[in-house]
Amino acid sequence: MTNKPSLTSTWQSPSNLAIVKYWGKKALQEPVNPSVSFSLSEAKTTTTVGLVPRQDGGFSFRLDELPVPKFEKKIETFFNAIRARLPIIENHFIEIESTNTFPHSTGIASSASAMSALALCLADLQQQVNGKNDLDITEVSSLARIGSGSASRSVYGNWNLWGRMAELPESSDFHAIPAPVDIAPVFRDLHDDILIVSSQSKPVSSSHGHKLMDLHPYREGRISQARRNTLELLKHLSSGNFEGFAKIAESEALSLHGLMMSSTPAFTLLRPNTLAIIEKIREFRDNKDIPVTFTMDAGPNIHLLYPKEFLNEVSEWEENSLKPFCEDGRILRDHIGKGPEKIISTK
Ligand code: 2P0
């Protein structure tokens, strides 16, 4: 910290991977459809926020000790939207320092881990200033959502749901909730190997992609599809049906990219090697009796998903058959995680 803060808070928060995808928004970053995700274990952001008493507010942000103008803009918009809910923003200078455990542009949603870590620090500091020490995690999820929609799902570990469904009374457009079903053992320690097809920055941001859903010709169909898939996915997560899970995961990933390719203007994030890997996965599954499936985020990289017990067989196949399609042979290995953690300084 460059200034001398009167209070600090440090949180480590994970990224998450959606199986049913959030794509399109309304009002203040509310989703047009529900989404279901799991939190990762290795891909995390650690953020320290320091409060320096100052009447005219303001903030600074550094990621890995460097300023990032693109993210500063996002934080400024976030602060303007949450000012009324967090009075500390008005009368303090907010110093933010973050580090990521994963490299940029590798298909891991850095805004989900970054904005959830920031929301946790801010909510924690507001409680400290108020003389309290408990956190209302629903409120934190709602704050994180305003920073970045997918961040609402990162304030919990394991499986989560964001978006209102009449059939699920606890669900909300304002904040995520833990998936309202018992998760079968096969889905409790799912592995996610991220096959890096390209680490180049995306030509179209997710925020812009969301906007293109406003007038998308398939909008209504997409909303119904996501609702159906959410209810089905929850059933599969609870019954342990991997085949059903795989069908939804792949259909959601391909539908997301189909929506991008049928937007006006259209854009394509898939690369030839993305499709080559998908073919290899289908071939492997047809020939072996091993449950593997895939999803994609808004990018060209493939997330290969499989239960922990198949780690050895899958790793060997990956090395031989999938690595050649990855940029510099890069594969990042991750799995389902337990959610955010407060870091207590021992200094
Ligand atoms: C998701 N994605 O559900 C979907 C699937 C990407 C593909 O949420 O504008 O970074 O900050 O709310 O959350 C990426 O969008 O967008 C995203 P903002 P966000 O994870």
Side-chain angles (χ1 to χ4, degrees):
M1 296 271 132
T2 45
N3 296 290
K4 280 224 161 50
S6 57
L7 280 177
T8 64
S9 172
T10 301
W11 282 83
Q12 192 169 61
S13 191
S15 183
N16 69 73
L17 181 64
I19 299 300
V20 178
K21 311 290 184 182
Y22 150 54
W23 204 240
K25 37 178 138 175
K26 57 185 185 191
L28 180 56
Q29 205 121 277
E30 289 168 40
V32 294
N33 64 263
S35 56
V36 180
S37 67
F38 61 83
S39 291
L40 292 168
S41 174
E42 304 300 319
K44 292 181 281 206
T45 299
T46 304
T47 294
T48 298
V49 175
L51 291 186
V52 183
R54 200 171 88 177
Q55 277 321 310
D56 55 350
F59 76 92
S60 64
F61 171 69
R62 285 155 80 87
L63 177 62
D64 298 325
E65 302 190 356
L66 293 171
V68 188
K70 196 175 82 181
F71 224 82
E72 275 166 22
K73 190 94 204 75
K74 208 159 167 134
I75 294 172
E76 191 180 339
T77 308
F78 177 45
F79 279 5
N80 287 336
I82 60 170
R83 228 163 255 287
R85 285 160 77 168
L86 287 181
I88 49 168
I89 294 176
E90 290 296 349
N91 48 15
H92 292 90
F93 181 82
I94 314 273
E95 211 173 322
I96 309 162
E97 288 181 358
S98 287
T99 53
N100 283 343
T101 56
F102 52 92
H104 282 300
S105 309
T106 44
I108 297 176
S110 61
S111 66
S113 54
M115 283 300 181
S116 56
L118 180 57
L120 282 156
C121 291
L122 291 171
D124 182 17
L125 288 165
Q126 184 66 59
Q127 286 298 77
Q128 289 186 42
V129 166
N130 294 349
K132 297 183 180 152
N133 56 16
D134 56 324
L135 271 189
D136 174 350
I137 201 68
T138 302
E139 168 66 9
V140 180
S141 173
S142 163
L143 284 175
R145 173 202 107 231
I146 294 168
S148 180
S150 54
S152 66
R153 302 183 307 238
S154 274
V155 304
Y156 313 99
N158 306 312
W159 287 92
N160 302 298
L161 163 81
W162 171 42
R164 175 77 188 146
M165 294 276 293
E167 298 87 339
L168 305 167
E170 318 89 319
S171 64
S172 170
D173 285 343
F174 302 118
H175 60 82
I177 57 168
V181 289
D182 280 337
I183 304 293
V186 65
F187 296 120
R188 281 188 212 148
D189 48 20
L190 207 60
H191 275 239
D192 172 16
D193 293 346
I194 307 158
L195 307 165
I196 308 298
V197 169
S198 168
S199 60
Q200 280 181 10
S201 292
K202 299 187 275 203
V204 177
S205 72
S206 285
S207 295
H208 189 61
H210 284 294
K211 220 176 250 137
L212 295 176
M213 285 309 289
D214 290 350
L215 299 172
H216 200 289
Y218 304 152
R219 180 185 162 92
E220 294 314 313
R222 166 58 194 157
I223 294 172
S224 320
Q225 178 197 33
R227 291 184 171 279
R228 248 188 345 263
N229 281 344
T230 294
L231 292 176
E232 285 241 332
L233 176 62
L234 292 175
K235 257 197 268 163
H236 298 323
L237 290 179
S238 126
S239 69
N241 179 349
F242 195 91
E243 207 179 312
F245 166 75
K247 277 206 181 105
I248 292 179
E250 294 175 22
S251 161
E252 278 287 319
L254 294 168
S255 298
L256 170 72
H257 285 267
L259 290 166
M260 294 172 188
M261 290 190 276
S262 49
S263 291
T264 309
F267 62 108
T268 309
L269 302 181
L270 301 177
R271 307 258 45 96
N273 279 357
T274 315
L275 298 175
I277 292 173
I278 291 174
E279 288 306 311
K280 288 272 168 199
I281 296 171
R282 289 175 170 159
E283 194 185 291
F284 178 74
R285 198 174 38 206
D286 289 347
N287 294 331
K288 311 257 171 191
D289 201 14
I290 295 180
V292 287
T293 185
F294 68 87
T295 186
M296 285 171 276
D297 242 325
N301 304 318
I302 295 276
H303 291 251
L304 186 74
L305 306 174
Y306 56 93
K308 186 182 175 180
E309 61 189 284
F310 295 97
L311 178 64
N312 291 341
E313 294 95 317
V314 171
S315 299
E316 196 189 325
W317 161 63
E318 251 178 356
E319 282 295 312
N320 297 331
S321 300
L322 302 184
K323 219 172 178 173
F325 295 99
C326 299
E327 183 183 79
D328 303 324
R330 262 170 101 196
I331 300 177
L332 303 177
R333 292 171 201 281
D334 213 325
H335 54 97
I336 290 192
K338 294 189 166 49
E341 234 182 292
K342 181 169 176 160
I343 310 293
I344 309 289
S345 169
T346 48
K347 274 189 248 165

Short mmCIF file of all heavy atoms in Angstrom, two decimals, residues 16-23 25 29 35-37 74 109 111-112 115 145-151 153 162 202 206-208 210 256 260 296-299, ligand 1:
data_model
loop_
_atom_site.label_atom_id
_atom_site.label_comp_id
_atom_site.label_asym_id
_atom_site.label_seq_id
_atom_site.Cartn_x
_atom_site.Cartn_y
_atom_site.Cartn_z
N ASN A 16 -15.09 -18.76 -11.86
CA ASN A 16 -16.05 -19.87 -11.95
C ASN A 16 -16.31 -20.19 -13.41
O ASN A 16 -16.00 -19.40 -14.30
CB ASN A 16 -17.35 -19.54 -11.20
CG ASN A 16 -18.16 -18.45 -11.85
OD1 ASN A 16 -18.78 -18.65 -12.90
ND2 ASN A 16 -18.15 -17.24 -11.27
N LEU A 17 -16.84 -21.36 -13.63
CA LEU A 17 -17.12 -21.81 -15.00
C LEU A 17 -18.60 -22.13 -15.11
O LEU A 17 -19.11 -22.98 -14.36
CB LEU A 17 -16.28 -23.05 -15.30
CG LEU A 17 -16.45 -23.62 -16.69
CD1 LEU A 17 -15.97 -22.64 -17.75
CD2 LEU A 17 -15.70 -24.93 -16.84
N ALA A 18 -19.29 -21.45 -16.04
CA ALA A 18 -20.73 -21.68 -16.20
C ALA A 18 -20.97 -22.88 -17.10
O ALA A 18 -20.29 -23.05 -18.12
CB ALA A 18 -21.38 -20.44 -16.80
N ILE A 19 -21.92 -23.70 -16.72
CA ILE A 19 -22.39 -24.78 -17.60
C ILE A 19 -23.62 -24.25 -18.36
O ILE A 19 -23.66 -24.29 -19.57
CB ILE A 19 -22.71 -26.06 -16.80
CG1 ILE A 19 -21.44 -26.56 -16.10
CG2 ILE A 19 -23.29 -27.15 -17.72
CD1 ILE A 19 -20.28 -26.92 -17.03
N VAL A 20 -24.61 -23.72 -17.63
CA VAL A 20 -25.66 -22.95 -18.32
C VAL A 20 -25.17 -21.50 -18.32
O VAL A 20 -24.82 -20.95 -17.27
CB VAL A 20 -27.03 -23.06 -17.61
CG1 VAL A 20 -28.07 -22.20 -18.33
CG2 VAL A 20 -27.49 -24.52 -17.59
N LYS A 21 -25.11 -20.91 -19.51
CA LYS A 21 -24.41 -19.63 -19.70
C LYS A 21 -25.29 -18.41 -19.50
O LYS A 21 -26.42 -18.37 -20.01
CB LYS A 21 -23.84 -19.56 -21.12
CG LYS A 21 -23.06 -20.77 -21.58
CD LYS A 21 -21.74 -20.90 -20.87
CE LYS A 21 -20.90 -22.05 -21.40
NZ LYS A 21 -19.64 -22.19 -20.67
N TYR A 22 -24.76 -17.42 -18.81
CA TYR A 22 -25.35 -16.08 -18.73
C TYR A 22 -24.96 -15.37 -20.03
O TYR A 22 -23.77 -15.20 -20.31
CB TYR A 22 -24.76 -15.41 -17.48
CG TYR A 22 -24.58 -13.91 -17.45
CD1 TYR A 22 -25.62 -13.02 -17.73
CD2 TYR A 22 -23.35 -13.37 -17.06
CE1 TYR A 22 -25.42 -11.64 -17.64
CE2 TYR A 22 -23.15 -12.00 -16.95
CZ TYR A 22 -24.18 -11.14 -17.25
OH TYR A 22 -23.97 -9.80 -17.15
N TRP A 23 -25.95 -14.96 -20.81
CA TRP A 23 -25.65 -14.25 -22.06
C TRP A 23 -26.79 -13.30 -22.37
O TRP A 23 -27.85 -13.74 -22.82
CB TRP A 23 -25.40 -15.25 -23.21
CG TRP A 23 -24.54 -14.67 -24.31
CD1 TRP A 23 -24.90 -14.51 -25.63
CD2 TRP A 23 -23.22 -14.17 -24.20
NE1 TRP A 23 -23.87 -13.95 -26.33
CE2 TRP A 23 -22.82 -13.72 -25.48
CE3 TRP A 23 -22.31 -14.01 -23.14
CZ2 TRP A 23 -21.56 -13.15 -25.73
CZ3 TRP A 23 -21.06 -13.47 -23.38
CH2 TRP A 23 -20.70 -13.05 -24.66
N LYS A 25 -28.26 -9.17 -20.79
CA LYS A 25 -28.66 -8.59 -19.51
C LYS A 25 -29.75 -7.55 -19.65
O LYS A 25 -30.03 -7.07 -20.75
CB LYS A 25 -27.46 -8.00 -18.79
CG LYS A 25 -26.39 -7.30 -19.62
CD LYS A 25 -25.31 -6.73 -18.71
CE LYS A 25 -23.93 -6.95 -19.27
NZ LYS A 25 -22.87 -6.32 -18.51
N GLN A 29 -27.35 -4.74 -14.68
CA GLN A 29 -26.64 -6.03 -14.70
C GLN A 29 -27.45 -7.18 -14.11
O GLN A 29 -26.93 -7.97 -13.31
CB GLN A 29 -25.32 -5.88 -13.96
CG GLN A 29 -24.29 -6.88 -14.42
CD GLN A 29 -23.05 -6.20 -14.96
OE1 GLN A 29 -23.00 -5.80 -16.11
NE2 GLN A 29 -22.05 -6.07 -14.14
N SER A 35 -28.28 -18.87 -14.92
CA SER A 35 -27.02 -19.56 -15.25
C SER A 35 -26.63 -20.44 -14.06
O SER A 35 -27.00 -20.16 -12.92
CB SER A 35 -25.92 -18.56 -15.58
OG SER A 35 -25.74 -17.63 -14.52
N VAL A 36 -25.89 -21.51 -14.37
CA VAL A 36 -25.43 -22.43 -13.33
C VAL A 36 -23.93 -22.65 -13.54
O VAL A 36 -23.50 -22.89 -14.67
CB VAL A 36 -26.15 -23.80 -13.42
CG1 VAL A 36 -25.67 -24.75 -12.33
CG2 VAL A 36 -27.66 -23.62 -13.34
N SER A 37 -23.15 -22.56 -12.46
CA SER A 37 -21.69 -22.66 -12.60
C SER A 37 -21.10 -23.39 -11.41
O SER A 37 -21.77 -23.62 -10.40
CB SER A 37 -21.09 -21.25 -12.63
OG SER A 37 -21.25 -20.62 -11.38
N LYS A 74 -13.82 -0.08 -15.35
CA LYS A 74 -14.85 -0.99 -14.85
C LYS A 74 -15.08 -0.74 -13.35
O LYS A 74 -16.22 -0.77 -12.86
CB LYS A 74 -14.41 -2.44 -15.10
CG LYS A 74 -15.58 -3.38 -15.28
CD LYS A 74 -15.25 -4.68 -16.00
CE LYS A 74 -16.41 -5.63 -15.80
NZ LYS A 74 -16.95 -6.36 -16.86
N ALA A 109 -12.36 -16.55 -16.58
CA ALA A 109 -13.03 -15.27 -16.39
C ALA A 109 -12.38 -14.50 -15.24
O ALA A 109 -12.67 -14.74 -14.08
CB ALA A 109 -14.51 -15.51 -16.10
N SER A 111 -12.74 -11.37 -14.60
CA SER A 111 -13.61 -10.38 -13.97
C SER A 111 -14.44 -11.04 -12.86
O SER A 111 -14.80 -10.38 -11.88
CB SER A 111 -14.50 -9.67 -14.98
OG SER A 111 -15.41 -10.56 -15.54
N ALA A 112 -14.71 -12.34 -12.96
CA ALA A 112 -15.50 -13.01 -11.92
C ALA A 112 -14.70 -13.09 -10.61
O ALA A 112 -15.21 -12.74 -9.54
CB ALA A 112 -15.89 -14.41 -12.37
N MET A 115 -13.84 -9.20 -9.43
CA MET A 115 -14.95 -8.41 -8.87
C MET A 115 -15.52 -9.05 -7.61
O MET A 115 -15.99 -8.35 -6.71
CB MET A 115 -16.05 -8.21 -9.92
CG MET A 115 -15.69 -7.16 -10.93
SD MET A 115 -15.42 -5.54 -10.16
CE MET A 115 -15.05 -4.54 -11.60
N ARG A 145 -22.19 -8.83 -8.41
CA ARG A 145 -22.94 -8.87 -9.67
C ARG A 145 -22.89 -7.52 -10.39
O ARG A 145 -22.77 -7.45 -11.62
CB ARG A 145 -24.40 -9.20 -9.37
CG ARG A 145 -25.31 -9.12 -10.56
CD ARG A 145 -26.76 -8.92 -10.16
NE ARG A 145 -27.24 -7.59 -10.43
CZ ARG A 145 -27.85 -6.80 -9.56
NH1 ARG A 145 -28.08 -7.18 -8.32
NH2 ARG A 145 -28.25 -5.60 -9.91
N ILE A 146 -22.97 -6.45 -9.60
CA ILE A 146 -22.98 -5.13 -10.22
C ILE A 146 -21.61 -4.84 -10.84
O ILE A 146 -21.48 -4.18 -11.86
CB ILE A 146 -23.41 -4.07 -9.19
CG1 ILE A 146 -24.87 -4.35 -8.81
CG2 ILE A 146 -23.24 -2.66 -9.72
CD1 ILE A 146 -25.37 -3.59 -7.63
N GLY A 147 -20.54 -5.41 -10.23
CA GLY A 147 -19.19 -5.26 -10.80
C GLY A 147 -19.06 -6.05 -12.09
O GLY A 147 -18.58 -5.56 -13.11
N SER A 148 -19.50 -7.29 -12.06
CA SER A 148 -19.48 -8.16 -13.25
C SER A 148 -20.47 -9.29 -12.99
O SER A 148 -20.40 -9.94 -11.94
CB SER A 148 -18.08 -8.74 -13.46
OG SER A 148 -18.07 -9.56 -14.59
N GLY A 149 -21.40 -9.50 -13.92
CA GLY A 149 -22.47 -10.46 -13.68
C GLY A 149 -21.98 -11.80 -13.17
O GLY A 149 -22.44 -12.32 -12.14
N SER A 150 -20.99 -12.38 -13.86
CA SER A 150 -20.53 -13.73 -13.48
C SER A 150 -19.89 -13.74 -12.09
O SER A 150 -19.82 -14.80 -11.46
CB SER A 150 -19.55 -14.26 -14.52
OG SER A 150 -18.51 -13.33 -14.72
N ALA A 151 -19.46 -12.57 -11.60
CA ALA A 151 -18.83 -12.50 -10.26
C ALA A 151 -19.82 -12.83 -9.15
O ALA A 151 -19.42 -13.28 -8.06
CB ALA A 151 -18.22 -11.12 -10.04
N ARG A 153 -21.58 -15.28 -8.91
CA ARG A 153 -21.54 -16.72 -8.62
C ARG A 153 -20.24 -17.15 -7.94
O ARG A 153 -20.13 -18.30 -7.51
CB ARG A 153 -21.70 -17.52 -9.94
CG ARG A 153 -22.99 -17.21 -10.71
CD ARG A 153 -23.10 -18.09 -11.95
NE ARG A 153 -21.90 -18.01 -12.76
CZ ARG A 153 -21.83 -17.63 -14.04
NH1 ARG A 153 -22.95 -17.33 -14.70
NH2 ARG A 153 -20.70 -17.57 -14.68
N TRP A 162 -27.52 -18.44 -10.58
CA TRP A 162 -27.86 -17.01 -10.57
C TRP A 162 -28.97 -16.78 -11.58
O TRP A 162 -28.86 -17.25 -12.73
CB TRP A 162 -26.62 -16.17 -10.92
CG TRP A 162 -26.90 -14.71 -11.14
CD1 TRP A 162 -27.73 -13.91 -10.40
CD2 TRP A 162 -26.36 -13.89 -12.18
NE1 TRP A 162 -27.71 -12.63 -10.92
CE2 TRP A 162 -26.89 -12.59 -11.99
CE3 TRP A 162 -25.47 -14.11 -13.23
CZ2 TRP A 162 -26.55 -11.52 -12.83
CZ3 TRP A 162 -25.13 -13.06 -14.07
CH2 TRP A 162 -25.67 -11.77 -13.87
N LYS A 202 -9.45 -11.23 -26.81
CA LYS A 202 -10.66 -11.42 -27.62
C LYS A 202 -10.94 -10.19 -28.47
O LYS A 202 -10.80 -9.07 -27.98
CB LYS A 202 -11.89 -11.59 -26.71
CG LYS A 202 -11.84 -12.74 -25.80
CD LYS A 202 -13.16 -12.90 -25.07
CE LYS A 202 -13.20 -12.03 -23.84
NZ LYS A 202 -14.17 -12.54 -22.86
N SER A 206 -17.01 -9.54 -23.65
CA SER A 206 -18.25 -10.18 -23.23
C SER A 206 -19.34 -9.13 -23.02
O SER A 206 -20.50 -9.35 -23.36
CB SER A 206 -18.04 -10.95 -21.94
OG SER A 206 -17.34 -12.12 -22.19
N SER A 207 -18.95 -7.97 -22.48
CA SER A 207 -19.96 -6.93 -22.24
C SER A 207 -20.65 -6.55 -23.55
O SER A 207 -21.87 -6.36 -23.59
CB SER A 207 -19.33 -5.69 -21.59
OG SER A 207 -18.85 -6.07 -20.32
N HIS A 208 -19.86 -6.46 -24.63
CA HIS A 208 -20.46 -6.12 -25.92
C HIS A 208 -21.33 -7.29 -26.42
O HIS A 208 -22.42 -7.09 -26.96
CB HIS A 208 -19.36 -5.78 -26.93
CG HIS A 208 -19.92 -5.23 -28.21
ND1 HIS A 208 -20.66 -4.07 -28.24
CD2 HIS A 208 -19.89 -5.71 -29.47
CE1 HIS A 208 -21.05 -3.85 -29.48
NE2 HIS A 208 -20.60 -4.84 -30.25
N HIS A 210 -22.97 -9.41 -24.62
CA HIS A 210 -24.25 -9.38 -23.88
C HIS A 210 -25.22 -8.40 -24.55
O HIS A 210 -26.40 -8.67 -24.71
CB HIS A 210 -24.01 -8.89 -22.45
CG HIS A 210 -23.39 -9.92 -21.54
ND1 HIS A 210 -24.03 -11.07 -21.17
CD2 HIS A 210 -22.20 -9.95 -20.89
CE1 HIS A 210 -23.26 -11.77 -20.34
NE2 HIS A 210 -22.14 -11.11 -20.17
N LEU A 256 -23.94 -20.89 -27.13
CA LEU A 256 -23.34 -19.58 -26.83
C LEU A 256 -22.58 -19.06 -28.05
O LEU A 256 -22.77 -17.92 -28.48
CB LEU A 256 -22.39 -19.72 -25.62
CG LEU A 256 -21.51 -18.52 -25.31
CD1 LEU A 256 -22.34 -17.38 -24.72
CD2 LEU A 256 -20.39 -18.90 -24.32
N MET A 260 -23.25 -15.94 -30.82
CA MET A 260 -22.27 -14.93 -31.25
C MET A 260 -22.21 -14.87 -32.77
O MET A 260 -22.17 -13.80 -33.37
CB MET A 260 -20.88 -15.30 -30.72
CG MET A 260 -20.76 -15.24 -29.22
SD MET A 260 -19.17 -15.91 -28.74
CE MET A 260 -19.37 -15.94 -26.96
N MET A 296 -17.13 -24.23 -23.20
CA MET A 296 -16.27 -23.10 -23.59
C MET A 296 -16.82 -21.86 -22.93
O MET A 296 -18.02 -21.74 -22.70
CB MET A 296 -16.34 -22.89 -25.10
CG MET A 296 -15.58 -23.89 -25.91
SD MET A 296 -15.97 -23.67 -27.65
CE MET A 296 -17.46 -24.61 -27.78
N ASP A 297 -15.92 -20.93 -22.65
CA ASP A 297 -16.35 -19.63 -22.21
C ASP A 297 -16.43 -18.74 -23.45
O ASP A 297 -16.37 -19.25 -24.56
CB ASP A 297 -15.34 -19.09 -21.18
CG ASP A 297 -16.01 -18.89 -19.84
OD1 ASP A 297 -17.18 -18.51 -19.85
OD2 ASP A 297 -15.36 -19.10 -18.82
N ALA A 298 -16.47 -17.42 -23.25
CA ALA A 298 -16.48 -16.54 -24.41
C ALA A 298 -15.05 -16.41 -24.94
O ALA A 298 -14.38 -15.41 -24.72
CB ALA A 298 -17.05 -15.18 -24.01
N GLY A 299 -14.59 -17.46 -25.60
CA GLY A 299 -13.24 -17.48 -26.14
C GLY A 299 -13.01 -18.80 -26.86
O GLY A 299 -13.89 -19.66 -26.88
C1 2P0 B 1 -20.98 -16.92 -17.98
N1 2P0 B 1 -19.87 -15.37 -19.59
O1 2P0 B 1 -22.09 -17.30 -17.59
C2 2P0 B 1 -20.91 -16.33 -19.39
C3 2P0 B 1 -20.64 -17.39 -20.39
C4 2P0 B 1 -19.04 -15.68 -20.72
C5 2P0 B 1 -19.66 -16.81 -21.36
O2 2P0 B 1 -20.50 -14.11 -17.89
O3 2P0 B 1 -20.49 -7.52 -18.54
O4 2P0 B 1 -17.64 -10.92 -17.63
O5 2P0 B 1 -19.03 -8.08 -16.57
O6 2P0 B 1 -21.45 -8.76 -16.60
O7 2P0 B 1 -19.77 -11.63 -16.42
C6 2P0 B 1 -18.86 -13.17 -19.21
O8 2P0 B 1 -19.49 -11.99 -18.92
O9 2P0 B 1 -19.86 -9.83 -18.18
C7 2P0 B 1 -19.79 -14.26 -18.85
P1 2P0 B 1 -20.24 -8.48 -17.42
P2 2P0 B 1 -19.13 -11.11 -17.65
O10 2P0 B 1 -19.94 -17.04 -17.28
#
